[in-house]
Amino acid sequence: MSDKINRVVLAYSGGLDTSVILKWLQQTYQCEVVTFTADLGQGEELEPARRKAELAGVKPEHIFIDDLREEFVRDFVFPMMRANAAYEGVYLLGTSIARPLIAKRQIEIAKLVGADAVSHGATGKGNDQVRFELGYYALAPDIKVIAPWREWDLTSRTKLIEFAEKHQIPVAKDKRGEAPFSTDANLLHTSSEGKVLEDPWEQVPDYVFSRTVNPEDAPDTPHVITVHFEKGDAVAVDGDPMSPATLLAHLNELGREHGIGRLDLVENRFVGMKSRGMYETPGGTILHVAHRAIESLTLDRGAAHLKDELMPRYAELIYNGFWFSPEREMLQAAIDHSQARVNGTVRLKLYKGGVHVIGRQSPDSLYSEKVVTFEDDQGAYDQRDAAGFIKLNALRLRLLGRRDR
Amino acid sequence: MSDKINRVVLAYSGGLDTSVILKWLQQTYQCEVVTFTADLGQGEELEPARRKAELAGVKPEHIFIDDLREEFVRDFVFPMMRANAAYEGVYLLGTSIARPLIAKRQIEIAKLVGADAVSHGATGKGNDQVRFELGYYALAPDIKVIAPWREWDLTSRTKLIEFAEKHQIPVAKDKRGEAPFSTDANLLHTSSEGKVLEDPWEQVPDYVFSRTVNPEDAPDTPHVITVHFEKGDAVAVDGDPMSPATLLAHLNELGREHGIGRLDLVENRFVGMKSRGMYETPGGTILHVAHRAIESLTLDRGAAHLKDELMPRYAELIYNGFWFSPEREMLQAAIDHSQARVNGTVRLKLYKGGVHVIGRQSPDSLYSEKVVTFEDDQGAYDQRDAAGFIKLNALRLRLLGRRDR
Amino acid sequence: MSDKINRVVLAYSGGLDTSVILKWLQQTYQCEVVTFTADLGQGEELEPARRKAELAGVKPEHIFIDDLREEFVRDFVFPMMRANAAYEGVYLLGTSIARPLIAKRQIEIAKLVGADAVSHGATGKGNDQVRFELGYYALAPDIKVIAPWREWDLTSRTKLIEFAEKHQIPVAKDKRGEAPFSTDANLLHTSSEGKVLEDPWEQVPDYVFSRTVNPEDAPDTPHVITVHFEKGDAVAVDGDPMSPATLLAHLNELGREHGIGRLDLVENRFVGMKSRGMYETPGGTILHVAHRAIESLTLDRGAAHLKDELMPRYAELIYNGFWFSPEREMLQAAIDHSQARVNGTVRLKLYKGGVHVIGRQSPDSLYSEKVVTFEDDQGAYDQRDAAGFIKLNALRLRLLGRRDR
Amino acid sequence: MSDKINRVVLAYSGGLDTSVILKWLQQTYQCEVVTFTADLGQGEELEPARRKAELAGVKPEHIFIDDLREEFVRDFVFPMMRANAAYEGVYLLGTSIARPLIAKRQIEIAKLVGADAVSHGATGKGNDQVRFELGYYALAPDIKVIAPWREWDLTSRTKLIEFAEKHQIPVAKDKRGEAPFSTDANLLHTSSEGKVLEDPWEQVPDYVFSRTVNPEDAPDTPHVITVHFEKGDAVAVDGDPMSPATLLAHLNELGREHGIGRLDLVENRFVGMKSRGMYETPGGTILHVAHRAIESLTLDRGAAHLKDELMPRYAELIYNGFWFSPEREMLQAAIDHSQARVNGTVRLKLYKGGVHVIGRQSPDSLYSEKVVTFEDDQGAYDQRDAAGFIKLNALRLRLLGRRDR
């Protein structure tokens, strides 16, 4: 195994950092760089990335710009939503779930163009480096991985900008100084962290939020919507069928308007430290609440409780970067098995930052008004059965009690 | 073991149903009835219960009216809050957690007065009969249990009222007809279920709510508070130290005003059916959010994730009535072990039904700005370590990939 | 729903107890009885059951005798073996796994003959009644279930025999007295319990064992065999391909000869009490050990550890009778997903009651001699990676240590 | 933080490898070396280690030789036994459990002598480096750690021996060649791995075993013993009270004679690879079986099943080196809580490699012959209760069945 790199596929945003990396790779490894820019719904123009790559000398046939929005929502976000995944109780994994898709496509391109290496712009302190690289290694065990932030000596903003200027990389005026925080965005969420957010006692400044209005500025009247599910996946809003990405984008708009999905969190990174992040997941928050509600009607208790017990592990696996692992796939198989009859409609009220379930119905409902009713149930349930049920559930406690009390 | 009952301790609210039960017990079992009425913060006068018991012929020394509010919050609600317990992801277990305390005190009284039986007013379809009776049997394995709703023939409202009138039990005018729904209340929450709530697609009518204002009617300006924790328990609000019950009552007031803690839920009962309930847990919702936030700063990841994985089981045990079980106690031992350094202060914004964490600080914080910073960390963290970390985490995936892909 | 029974399908062994039940059903319910006798490899002649049923007046077309051995092993035993299921650490669930198959076939017959009820001969203290009836209800929610042992007044052996004699039911001489213990047998195991086994301090008498020689009487020389697996299922022994039931029968012979698979256990029944049982699972014990061994070579750590964590729950579900439950099926989906590459051969030594793994090989092995070797690995593994791996795994412990120690 | 090392505490066995390390540390870091040699029952003379250390120039007051046998068994082995810990279903963690104690004592000595570093002789491919170093960092977050095998250039046996000879380190004749395998030993077990054991299909050669006779050479008559437990810990064998280490040593002798506790295993290392090891755990295997048996009589089902579900995680934590972690301590708190009444006596038969439970009794038994009996139980258990128990357990399955089948 030689260390000589011939061709490397770079996950390229077109921004300053990955532009510097592009040049640094060319210089350091004397290799051909292939750029890959994914549209995951981050809401930025991608054509400028093409022009910048061309300017940096990347061959036109080595510039890949792919619209992955539908694949992202259909094959990554939705399966995760089926699990009701929330890391550390609350984080909806918006960044974590995008990384495996980028890694997967990057490896596909590497195979296509015969590259022997891949590279990314994630730093050495974060989770994203792990998520990218575990994806690379799982899908291409012998690929070489270049993580410039762990290797180079451009260890300060100043040095980075010097390098950019020296190599004619355009530096936007607002990038000259230190950014006040760092962000990541895709169709599911925008995350912000670092700098002004580093003191967890200080409130997140208003200007950090970009995807949602402040709940205080949201409309004074609630907005009621319905979300319709088939086999655990949302397929329509207010009766309008939509593709996965269209549906999520639509819920994002509704969520934005009503200030939904803001989260200020201190979380535990896989690399061992705590960090403080701010997340905006407008549409995803609505979906999360709605999915739990449709499950409440259509999932049996045994399935529902098993899912609840497996969820923290599942969420941890995604957070830590183990999407392409056998254990995540095993859990997914169990989860997906439970979703066959998760069909129906949830009615939700959006109001001032809150998503409130106010109704749910399903052709596959397991709720039996006949059984549960306070009224005469005409024998659907025999209350005397409860006596035996309790007696046998109590038996071991009574034997214990006779011994211990 | 003879079936003759001599003396029975009845969990007595003073309401129509338990007043009928009191009389029915006297008649059916020809036994002495001892009444026990607990103040758990349900917000009702309890002295009328004394008068009604006296009227029904209960001896004065056999009428027990106990203020259990501090014990309830300190020994039941707070230990449960340390676990971040939420049944089926969202229900804060307000009814479930009160039942073991009532059962415990009822058994204490039974031992005190030499009773050979206990009785309660829970129906044969619900969870509460299970919670009461598992408590009874665990604490007094040989006690006899009388559950009138499973035994008698007063199977309709009409028959119940006929029985009441025949026995000079006062029937309030508003109790003559069918109540539009059934409620339970204590310092932690009010629950409502049945009748008008039985169709899960229909929105809960406004008049069902009693503990919180409608978020739409809540103040237009947010209210910021701080909650201070010691060893995992809340001990002060806005800097004012308070006893457990006082603190919860204070948060209830704040929560009520801001419309916090409403939950419309379809849940799975232990007895095997789905039911639809409406819960209001104003102060408890604030505590739940605040406790997670202080843990986010002071709990190590290993402890936090283990807690998250154990929580669904712990919540299920409480919901199902297994408070006095070895496995609940084992989980509690694990949870309590984790709380030794869960100290500090959380800042929260209450607004229109929402509780938002906006800051947290602690003398026992594990958050290290020095390690996490985007700025120069002066060697607190060596980014090159991440390479080896990823490489070895990836090793098994690479071996898999070489075999499978 | 009327309580009148017209036709009932009885799980009928042909023995004294179910013969009495047959007659009792005819008398008590004035209904037609359909008998179902399953060959699960219990090693008894089944034709006598036909004759006895005919004698009791069952119509020939209502006598069902089915050889279910292959279905039993293929669709019940093998899926369970994939999970390495062992209840309370050691019990291989030989009785538990047979009940759902009997229930399933019984319900199929009920549908075929238009029966409105099913019946079984399990007592009211055991687990089997639960397993049968949960199966019935899951597969035919509205079926009526008759459990004579919980209903009738034949509460002593004497009364049972009186009833038999009164109704011309032949009583074998050795059935006149009390049997010294009770047994259940099928291709997977024989269980014994009750009577002489009821004192858990007393050693199981020799005459209780029927499927295995005493290890002390087993051959003095070990016997080495190989078991070959495909997708997690055993398919060949010593190179000879065999059908599932043939293979298990063959391993049973080997196990019997070498005294393998005896277990003396105090276990916790689902109905709340402890019981003491004695099990003989000769071939199943060999399979259990062999399956773990082939997994050790072919399963990734993530999959293997997840399986280990899920196993106790899975085993409990089967023990408690929840084979036909969504949560068992979800776990099965996860387990089966893991078995796709569980192929290869295990070499085992059978000796004096022990099964010892002495070798394993697989075309799908994940074991890499190149990586693990103490010799020069030519760069397959860079030991310096371990430094970073440890550093980042230690980071949270160091942050904790700085705070706490 | 300077990198200059002044004084380092080395975990020193006195063998060739750690003798080379001792010299290499002195040379490479120009620092004072403090040696620490622990008696964990590995069965070797420790005084030679003192002489070798002196020869190498270590100051007499810097040579620590400690008998840790009682602490090892009492505070590490026994707590682990309470959990029934077995990694990957079978490995009793004999090596894993010794490492944290060595690390703990090493750090105590470092604090005593004012050392700024610690060092060990574990290689960069194994688990032991992780276990040592996680222990070091947890107990002394700012200690420096030197792992020579990951740093030096003595990458072959030849180079190591050249270095030894050049520095007058005595090399035993049998160490000149490559050892045919590598071992670790303590009071709990002996492990062997590497070289001749590297092909998992090849049987372990006889000469590898050192702690047990071949089962085929064990006595032809079984040996029956009793083990007595108090609060989950073994305290007496055959009625003789013994200290923890004495008891384990005694069981080791019995186990050795009867060929008990041999295990040939392919396992998953924390560093990501599979390895093949051979373990001999004679006394530990007896204890493991006996502890499960006494629990079967004295633990309630809820406690027992929770323990079974937590065990794989607990074992994994110990295997991976996280003894000094909050989550291991939380699990220990739960486990220890369950052991308060785990008292009583187990009778075992040792025979030809097998440990068979043949009886168990306890003053704290939860087994009730009165309840379980096949005979008339005089009302201890009402079989009719089972009907209600089953009906309500079946309810959700029936609702499912009505929807799905």
Side-chain angles (χ1 to χ4, degrees), chain D residues 134-152:
Chain D
L134 292 183
Y136 299 151
Y137 287 130
L139 300 171
D142 297 309
I143 200 81
K144 286 167 197 155
V145 175
I146 305 172
W149 285 100
R150 298 199 304 256
E151 299 181 17
W152 68 20

Side-chain angles (χ1 to χ4, degrees), chain D residues 45-78:
Chain D
E45 282 293 311
L46 301 186
E47 282 310 308
R50 183 185 307 278
R51 287 196 306 276
K52 287 179 187 171
E54 282 170 355
L55 271 174
V58 179
K59 294 183 195 159
E61 69 269 27
H62 280 174
I63 299 176
F64 290 80
I65 298 184
D66 295 342
D67 182 350
L68 301 178
R69 288 176 296 174
E70 289 293 347
E71 183 179 2
F72 176 51
V73 181
R74 187 187 63 232
D75 296 345
F76 292 78
V77 175
F78 274 10

Side-chain angles (χ1 to χ4, degrees), chain B residues 297-303 309 313 341 363-366 368 371 380-382 384-393 395-405, chain C residues 297-303 309 313 341 363-366 368 371 380-382 384-393 395-405:
Chain B
L297 207 58
T298 56
L299 272 197
D300 164 73
R301 183 183 70 203
E309 293 196 49
R313 173 73 62 91
R341 304 291 289 268
D364 291 297
S365 174
L366 290 169
S368 167
V371 168
Y381 177 95
D382 185 342
R384 285 165 305 180
D385 288 338
F389 180 73
I390 296 170
K391 272 299 196 51
L392 294 205
N393 271 300
L395 181 51
R396 65 182 180 97
L397 302 178
R398 298 173 78 185
L399 292 166
L400 258 180
R402 283 191 194 122
R403 185 189 74 180
D404 294 350
R405 313 273 174 190
Chain C
L297 206 59
T298 57
L299 272 197
D300 164 73
R301 184 184 70 202
E309 293 195 48
R313 173 72 63 91
R341 305 291 289 269
D364 291 296
S365 174
L366 289 169
S368 167
V371 168
Y381 178 95
D382 185 342
R384 287 165 303 180
D385 288 338
F389 179 74
I390 295 170
K391 273 299 196 53
L392 294 205
N393 271 299
L395 181 52
R396 66 182 179 95
L397 301 178
R398 298 173 77 184
L399 293 165
L400 259 180
R402 283 192 194 121
R403 185 189 73 180
D404 294 349
R405 313 271 174 192

